[in-house]
Amino acid sequence: MSKLIKPVDYEALLDMKQTEQGIKLIKEFFQQNISTELRLRRVTAPLFVLKGLGINDDLNGVERAVTFPIKDLGDAKAEVVHSLAKWKRLTLAEYEIEPGYGVYTDMNAIRADEELDNIHSLYVDQWDWEAVIRPEQRSVAFLHDIVNRIYAAILRTEYLTCETYPQLKPFLPEKIHFIHSEDLLQMYPDKTPKEREDAICKAYGAVFITGIGGKLSNGEKHDGRAPDYDDWSTVAEDGRMGLNGDILIWYPILGHALELSSMGIRVDKDSLLRQLQLEGEEGREQLFFHQQLLNGKLPLSIGGGIGQSRLCMVLLHKAHIGEIQASIWPDDMRDECERAGMPLI
């Protein structure tokens, strides 16, 4: 309960009926915008994948996947997905998607080890997307261009939401600020990574922090990232490391930075081998996904995930993600939230 934030004098600006209508509005409008902006085709995604193929997202490497046996496959184990970071790249190859185009899907997942609070739930829903790129597009400049286009779609969705519900006032800045995690460390050397995110987001309103996953000059990582999808160890043309990052905004209702998207240019053969070695995970080279990549059967790509419930939470000015989605919460958290004016679904 210590992580629960209870904003003083918080009052939901939309009732439950308006909230449900607002969720539908946001999801339909943003989905259409992002698919048009990035030229993405909708595909159907799995809820679970077979264990041992290297397809599931390992997140920070410590989270346990929900696992169950499949009777008709001799009790072979399946895992509920954490995200579809690697599955999408296999799909690009299977559908023979051309450079400049891609796919997106509604991803639903269970993260049983999540620490529950205002923005973290056992249930994860996001738009997972992936697009084929050319070799010359594996650059920081191209990454920033895609971030700007995604952020523009978020701003358009905020405008529509506030026009539909005038009691909601827009607060996101017109532009997103870019900074590398090493530069952020140099700005705030005495702060933790989360404190640095709060400081930079409060200053600029919306920020894209690059270079997530590699060790910084203090020997620590800004945040964890699996070594086999985002390319965080490549030296880009600006001299910094990493072709990935997170979109964060300053959320005044909670008084903290809030991540809306994790994304990046994906590993090629060289960066995959380098990152597996850096993390001591060379054994993964023999897994199905990794063999497909190492043998040149997967296209170069960029991709990420955009939180659906988080985006709705922000644009509808809610204080707890449980006001947006139905999940399981501790009884004491439900009681505390009820008293704080943020009843959970």
Side-chain angles (χ1 to χ4, degrees):
M1 292 300 298
S2 61
K3 287 193 171 184
L4 182 65
I5 300 173
K6 295 178 285 186
V8 177
D9 298 326
Y10 169 74
E11 181 180 354
L13 298 178
L14 303 179
D15 61 27
M16 293 189 71
K17 179 181 178 180
Q18 291 172 317
T19 298
E20 293 291 358
Q21 292 171 336
I23 292 170
K24 181 175 184 291
L25 175 75
I26 291 168
K27 288 191 174 185
E28 289 180 349
F29 183 81
F30 182 80
Q31 180 174 270
Q32 183 63 49
N33 265 258
I34 201 67
S35 63
T36 302
E37 187 72 49
L38 301 183
R39 295 192 288 188
L40 307 174
R41 173 198 307 173
R42 189 191 183 281
V43 296
T44 300
L47 178 60
F48 40 81
V49 295
L50 282 174
K51 185 176 182 179
L53 296 180
I55 297 176
N56 203 358
D57 183 355
D58 298 290
L59 300 176
N60 291 313
V62 296
E63 294 87 350
R64 299 169 299 170
V66 175
T67 306
F68 61 92
I70 305 173
K71 181 179 178 181
D72 273 6
L73 293 182
D75 280 346
K77 294 294 179 62
E79 294 180 337
V80 176
V81 296
H82 279 145
S83 85
L84 299 171
K86 288 176 277 189
W87 176 86
K88 292 175 297 182
R89 198 165 177 184
L90 293 167
T91 301
L92 291 178
E94 182 180 358
Y95 281 44
E96 299 181 345
I97 303 294
E98 295 293 322
Y101 297 87
V103 299
Y104 80 95
T105 189
D106 288 293
M107 189 282 292
N108 297 283
I110 300 172
R111 296 183 182 174
D113 288 337
E114 200 73 82
E115 294 185 16
L116 308 181
D117 56 28
N118 297 67
I119 62 173
H120 295 96
S121 169
L122 299 175
Y123 169 63
V124 179
D125 58 339
Q126 63 184 31
W127 291 285
D128 251 321
W129 65 275
E130 198 85 10
V132 179
I133 62 175
R134 299 180 178 86
E136 63 269 20
Q137 292 174 317
R138 300 189 78 255
S139 69
V140 171
F142 180 75
L143 174 64
H144 287 190
D145 177 63
I146 296 296
V147 171
N148 279 321
R149 290 158 70 178
I150 293 172
Y151 188 67
I154 292 174
L155 288 181
R156 288 194 293 270
T157 309
E158 182 190 41
Y159 174 79
L160 175 66
T161 306
C162 293
E163 282 287 294
T164 305
Y165 303 103
Q167 61 269 48
L168 304 177
K169 304 302 179 185
F171 66 91
L172 295 175
E174 292 185 6
K175 294 183 178 180
I176 187 168
H177 179 74
F178 294 87
I179 190 169
H180 193 280
S181 53
E182 176 63 33
D183 295 322
L184 189 58
L185 171 63
Q186 298 304 319
M187 287 178 65
Y188 306 106
D190 299 326
K191 295 183 181 294
T192 67
K194 293 303 178 186
E195 290 170 344
R196 296 198 289 271
E197 290 179 356
D198 283 345
I200 195 70
C201 286
K202 189 172 184 179
Y204 289 96
V207 181
F208 185 72
I209 302 176
T210 58
I212 308 290
K215 289 184 178 180
L216 304 177
S217 60
N218 63 355
E220 301 175 358
K221 299 179 180 180
H222 181 83
D223 200 359
R225 195 75 102 240
D228 44 16
Y229 56 96
D230 280 353
D231 186 342
W232 42 257
S233 64
T234 296
V235 179
E237 68 263 24
D238 64 353
R240 291 300 190 190
M241 306 287 278
L243 294 173
N244 73 338
D246 293 339
I247 296 176
L248 301 103
I249 57 100
W250 176 254
Y251 194 40
I253 290 178
L254 296 181
H256 284 284
L258 195 153
E259 178 191 321
L260 295 181
S261 176
S262 172
M263 58 175 289
I265 291 171
R266 306 310 196 186
V267 290
D268 58 9
K269 178 179 178 179
D270 291 340
S271 54
L272 173 65
L273 293 174
R274 179 170 57 252
Q275 291 180 180
L276 290 177
Q277 184 178 33
L278 285 171
E279 297 297 297
E281 296 285 355
E282 292 93 336
R284 293 191 193 183
E285 294 174 19
Q286 304 308 314
L287 298 175
F288 171 75
F289 170 83
H290 304 72
Q291 282 292 301
Q292 293 291 103
L293 177 54
L294 293 173
N295 290 326
K297 296 183 179 180
L298 301 181
L300 298 175
S301 68
I302 183 173
I306 303 165
Q308 294 187 15
S309 289
R310 282 204 187 175
L311 184 62
C312 291
M313 175 185 169
V314 166
L315 298 186
L316 298 178
H317 298 196
K318 299 293 186 177
H320 198 291
I321 200 167
E323 297 178 83
I324 296 294
Q325 58 162 245
S327 186
I328 297 174
W329 307 97
D331 289 339
D332 54 350
M333 181 178 287
R334 282 191 174 274
D335 293 341
E336 286 288 317
C337 288
E338 185 74 30
R339 288 192 291 270
M342 42 187 186
L344 307 184
I345 298 174

